[in-house]
Each structure stands twice: as structure tokens, then as C-alpha cells.
Amino acid sequence: MMLASVARRVLLLRAAGVASAARNISTEGQRVTLIEGDGIGPEISGAVVKVLAAAKVPVDWERVDVQPVRTADGRVTVPEEVIHSMERNKIGLKGPLETQIGKGAVSLNLTLRRVFSLYANVRPCRSIEGYQTGYSGVDLVTIRENTEGEYSGIEHEVVDGVVQSIKLITQKASQRVAEFAFRYAHSSGRKTVTAVHKSNIMRRADGLFLACCSEAAKKYPDIQYNDVYLDTACLNLVQDPTQFDVLVMPNLYGDILSDLCAGLVGGLGLTPSGNIGTDGVAIFEAVHGTAPDIAGQDRANPTALLLSAVMMLRHMGLEEAAGRIEAAVFTTIREGKVALATLGAFSGAMFLFPADTDWGPRGQRQVFRVHRRDHSEFGVITLPHQSSIDHDIVCVHIVISNIHYVYHYKKCNYGSNNTL
């Protein structure tokens, strides 16, 4: 439903004459490497391809499959086909990739960043009208150094039961991402760059990163610069995120803060992401998981990957097409006529109240009404049988606007109410 709504709005905007600016854009398609990913990846990638086709965006897709390849010396890389495709096209769009949990498992996301020197991860976080969270007016960008820090993979066992993991910080990588942050702020009309660090504890490592940021700031006198400790940044973000503009930080801090910021505006299902590398290479991606439990059911929400594609189009200079697609997405969300399990269905606390005429079993069912934290009615919930309310975890069925969801309900002590 969301795909059809966005595609329809894209076509309406084009027909309304907004596309007149496209006369200056070449209709010859630029090739883009498409990594569909795992789980729901092929579904959301397919949705993005359809929307861009509806918008008549001059993009030709070259699909490749990313699987781990182990070299003779034991290193993990990606298939030659992927490397050659990115070398030719320079631009990539990527769905979520699965990382197995366990000893010896290698993250393909980290492998892609290393292989293509994707040194800066850029994550805009912006409040979206029509999707209410506990915060409003959020409009910030996190920029994360993407190649070193705690994610350098330098670990060893000193003695039995003692493992050492080395945090690698270099002047070259720190200067590169710091200068990128200021260039990004300058070109995007941003006013402030904030460096996030813990130089009070890691005086040499984070001290070097901070020094590189301070040096880069001197080249951009039009951009205000300040720095903040990581823990203070977390506190200030949840108190008032509107005080921040562009934040730049080492790898691990960026991994944590970028997800925290996504939570301020609705979660990873609404957050675009781009990885900028050397030699003009860039890969844009959805940063949420593969959601194997709903894969193949055509229920996945493509918003994050679609907004990442908007970032990609702007990076390619296709501003008009990017603006049309972004406007269609935001209008669809604002109108609230399309409900998806990852967008609005389970945001915040949901409270169960017995429906007035439905208290007690109805055949083999119990029917309750679901209310949001602000007490507005959300929908109807059906428990499979009377005794299931006595269990700690209950599988429940929610029907909202003829859309069916299955969710797990956990009992909490709210008197006669319970929370999802």
C-alpha cells in the first residue's frame, strides 16, 4: 500500500509540472550497483526500484550479490564481481545484510567499508510530520568515522581468560572525516559542527581525534565549532536534541549515537544512511536489520531504503528527482492513510482495555481495544483464548484498517491495563 501511494504521488508531482526542472537533467541512465541484501532486502529494494522507475529517474541498476569470500591468507572480502561493479559505477544502494552471530563471524557491512574505503557514515535524523514521537523539531546529522577505532578488528588473547581489543585512531583518518564534516556542513547550509569524544579518559586516542577536528574548524570560519563528551552528548540529546546540528565522532561512538538519534524521530525504519568513500565511491543503505521473520510476506516498510535512495540521488546531482520522491514519501506519512508494522503500528506504549461489549470470551476469543499512551484509540486486539491472558507472553493479532499484524504481548503491572 505504501509503495503504491508513494509511486502515485511521484507521478502526480511530475504531471503537475514540478518535473520541468528535469529538462536540464540527462535522460541517459547512470549505472548504480544494487545490493539487494538478505531477508526483507529484496522486497524493499524492489520497492525502491519501482518508485524510481515511476519517477522516471535516469538510473540503470546493476544487481550484484554480496557473500563473504575468504582469501588465501585468511582475510574476508567480497566477490570480485562486486568490486568490479563498484569500481565501474562508483555509486551503490544496499539493502540490509545479515551478520551471523558467533565466533569467526565477519560483518559484511564492515567488509564493504574496508574494501571500498568508505570512511564517513552520514545519517540525517529529522522529525517527520505525521509520525509523532516524544520529540519534535529534530533536524540533525551524525557523521561517523567508519574505518577504524574499536572496529579495527585488532584483538588477541593475552593469557587464558584475558582478551585485549585495540582502539586504533590515526591522524590521517581523523583529519579526513573531520574535514568531510565541515565540508558537509558548509555545503548543506548547516551552522554548527560538534565533535563527540572522551579525551578526558582516552587522552591520546580521542585527544588526537579532537585535535584534528579543531584544526579542520580553522578552515571554516563560517561554521561554529564546539566539542562535547560522549556521555554528556547522550544526556543532552534525550533532553533537547534541537540544540545539535552536525555531530562528528569516532567509529564506536557514531554507531551508538546514530541509533540513539534514529530513535528520537521514530527508529531505524525511518532513517536514511550514506557511506562516503575515496575516489568518488559511495554506498547508500538501510541500516535496519534483515527481519527474516517477515521476509517474503510483502509487509516490510521500505521507507529507510527509499530515503537512502533520495540521499543517493542528491549525491548524484539529481536534486529534482530526489525532491519529488522525498515529498511523496513525507506526504504519504503525513496523511496517515497507510499503516505498516514498522511505521506507527507499535510506537511507544500501547495499553489494552476490554472493549465495552466484549469483556470475557467470545467463543475462543477475547477482544480488547488498544489505546496509545495519549489515550487515543489505536485499534482492536484479539487474544486467541481465555487462558492465554495468564501467560507472560501472548501472541496477539491486531487488525487496523484491514491490515493484519501479529505481535507478542507482555503482561505488565498497570492494574487492569497492560502494555504492548
Side-chain angles (χ1 to χ4, degrees), residues 254-280:
D255 194 7
I256 296 168
L257 279 191
S258 59
D259 277 13
L260 186 155
C261 292
L264 302 175
V265 299
L268 297 177
L270 288 171
T271 309
S273 177
N275 298 285
I276 310 302
T278 57
D279 300 323

Side-chain angles (χ1 to χ4, degrees), residues 33 62 64 80-90:
T33 299
E62 182 178 351
V64 296
E80 288 290 324
E81 175 193 11
V82 177
I83 296 174
H84 294 326
S85 177
M86 283 301 303
E87 287 176 346
R88 285 192 303 269
N89 303 329
K90 301 296 185 183

